[in-house]
Structures are given as structure tokens and as C-alpha cells.
Amino acid sequence: VLKVLSHIDSVLRSPRAPPLIYRRSKGLVQNSIKENGQECGFEHLPLTIEMWADQLMALKDLHKSLRKVSLELVPWHTADPQDNRESVRVEDLQFMVDAILEEIENKEKSSQTPSLPTLFAIVSHFQKLFDVNSLNGVYPRMNEVYTKLGEMTNVMRNLHELLGLDSSAPPTVVVDTVGKLCDIINENMTEQVQQLLGTQDIHSIINKLEEHECFFPPFQALIQDLLCLLEISNLDDILPTVRNLK
């Protein structure tokens, strides 16, 4: 008996023994009995063995619960070699947990893959949005849309920088800013035209344009006749040629 108890005690004290159980049982030793000059503390062994037995029973209950979960998630894993055994190993439970986790991961991956009707609805919606009559035209139109989108993105980025706007400014703000800038340019252009023509009212501008239309055609015809008569092609040569004729 002492040999058996000594063997059990060595198992409890070995590095492979559960440390939590050993620490809990170690505190229950109150007295030590010395047999043949050796110290043997066996008082905690029944409590420890009883605790291990409870853990083994709980392991069987856990196995039954995992079997129920496994039948729901992986019903094709019906062949369980432990069904006909009295003992349940941790490796068996770990195998069942791994199978369940693998099934859950596969379901998550498959749920992220769209079904064929979903893909068909997406293609049909694209055809309606971008006026594509056939499936063969989907890819070319996608490329065209992608190219145009890239061009518009670059244009908007450049406009934001040129106008000094924040990159988050919506297109409506960009359009309003460009409109205001055009108004300023048009106002400045009107002032410059007025200064160039020496007038400040629209009627004077019209009169000067009418005078220009009356004067310029005869002047142009005269110049052309002089160029032909003097046999020259450059306006700057007219005066020198006339002076030589004198």
C-alpha cells in the first residue's frame, strides 16, 4: 500500500501534475507521518484523487455538450470513436472544438462570397446606370468609367489647389468659386475694353466698332493694292519703296 501511495504521491508532485490541483491539495496537509525514517504526507491524496475524479466526470459532461454542438454545426462528423469508450481524452475534445471552429470559419468565408443572383443583379444595375446593352460591353464601359473618374479626380484636385480650397470641399463649392472668379475676370475685362476704346458706355463702344467696320475694309483693300503695285509682300517695306520712287 505504501508503494502505491508513494507512487501516487510522486505523480502528484511531478511536473506533469496539474499545478493548481497540487497547490490546493498541498494546503490540506497538517501532519506528517514518518514511516521507516521517511516523511510521507498522504493525508491530501484522497482529496486530490477525489478532485481528479470530479474533473474526469466533468470532462465527460463537457464531451456530451460538445457532441450536441457538433451535431448542429458539423452533422457529417457522426463517427465518433469515443462514443463506445468509457474514458474521454482532452485530445478528443480538442478535435471536436477544432472541427467546430473550422466550420465556423468556412461559413464566415462563404458568407462573404456573393451568390450568383447577387452578382447578376450587380451587373444588371451597372448596365442600367451606364447604358450598356450587352454583357460584352460591361468591361469596356467599366474601363471608360474608371478612366473618366481618374481624370475628374485629378481635375478636382488641381482646382482645389489652384483656388486655395480644402481638399474636403464639395464640387458645389468649387463651382461657386469658379463662377465668382469668372465674374471678377469679366468685370476686369469690361474695364480694360472701356479703357482701350476710351469710352465708358456701351453706346460709344458700339459706335467705335461701327466706325471700325466702315474704315477697315477700304483701308485693307488700299494696302493690298499698294503691295501688288510695288511688288512687295511686307507692310514695313511700303514706306522705303515709296521713298525710293521719289
Side-chain angles (χ1 to χ4, degrees):
V1 177
L2 291 177
K3 290 182 179 180
V4 173
L5 293 177
S6 299
H7 180 67
I8 294 175
D9 189 66
S10 63
V11 170
L12 291 175
R13 298 175 183 273
S14 66
R16 297 182 58 186
L20 180 61
I21 295 178
Y22 179 70
R23 286 196 299 268
R24 291 178 60 185
S25 62
K26 186 177 180 181
L28 298 176
V29 180
Q30 296 178 357
N31 298 314
S32 297
I33 303 175
K34 292 187 178 182
E35 298 288 344
N36 298 327
Q38 296 181 353
E39 182 178 348
C40 298
F42 297 137
E43 290 82 356
H44 68 288
L45 295 184
L47 296 176
T48 302
I49 295 174
E50 182 180 354
M51 184 178 298
W52 283 7
D54 293 338
Q55 294 296 318
L56 290 176
M57 291 301 297
L59 201 63
K60 292 183 179 180
D61 295 337
L62 179 60
H63 177 263
K64 293 180 181 179
S65 300
L66 286 177
R67 278 289 297 161
K68 293 180 180 179
V69 176
S70 178
L71 290 175
E72 292 291 334
L73 296 178
V74 283
W76 50 88
H77 289 172
T78 54
D80 189 351
Q82 296 301 323
D83 284 345
N84 298 324
R85 296 184 183 180
E86 295 182 356
S87 62
V88 179
R89 297 179 303 175
V90 176
E91 291 82 357
D92 302 325
L93 301 181
Q94 186 64 47
F95 175 78
M96 297 174 65
V97 172
D98 292 341
I100 294 173
L101 291 177
E102 183 179 358
E103 176 64 18
I104 293 175
E105 292 177 357
N106 292 334
K107 284 186 176 181
E108 291 178 352
K109 292 179 180 179
S110 61
S111 63
Q112 296 175 358
T113 303
S115 61
L116 184 61
T118 302
L119 294 176
F120 180 76
I122 292 173
V123 174
S124 300
H125 187 62
F126 180 87
Q127 289 182 268
K128 292 179 181 179
L129 289 178
F130 298 100
D131 193 21
V132 182
N133 297 325
S134 64
L135 291 176
N136 294 331
V138 170
Y139 280 109
R141 185 56 58 87
M142 282 184 176
N143 294 333
E144 181 182 353
V145 171
Y146 178 79
T147 302
K148 294 295 183 182
L149 178 62
E151 293 176 355
M152 293 301 298
T153 301
N154 292 332
V155 169
M156 292 300 295
R157 186 186 301 110
N158 293 333
L159 286 175
H160 279 92
E161 293 178 358
L162 291 174
L163 299 175
L165 298 175
D166 187 79
S167 59
S168 61
T172 53
V173 176
V174 176
V175 173
D176 293 340
T177 305
V178 172
K180 293 177 182 179
L181 185 60
C182 290
D183 293 339
I184 295 174
I185 294 174
N186 291 333
E187 291 176 359
N188 294 336
M189 184 64 67
T190 302
E191 294 177 358
Q192 292 176 3
V193 172
Q194 291 176 351
Q195 293 175 2
L196 178 64
L197 298 178
T199 180
Q200 299 297 326
D201 58 89
I202 190 63
H203 295 290
S204 298
I205 296 175
I206 294 174
N207 293 334
K208 286 186 176 295
L209 291 175
E210 290 177 350
E211 292 175 0
H212 178 271
E213 291 179 355
C214 293
F215 170 77
F216 186 75
F219 177 76
Q220 184 181 17
L222 176 61
I223 295 299
Q224 291 295 332
D225 293 341
L226 284 173
L227 293 175
C228 293
L229 182 62
L230 299 174
E231 296 180 353
I232 57 178
S233 60
N234 196 350
L235 292 176
D236 296 335
D237 296 335
I238 292 178
L239 290 179
T241 305
V242 172
R243 288 192 183 98
N244 291 334
L245 291 175
K246 289 175 63 178

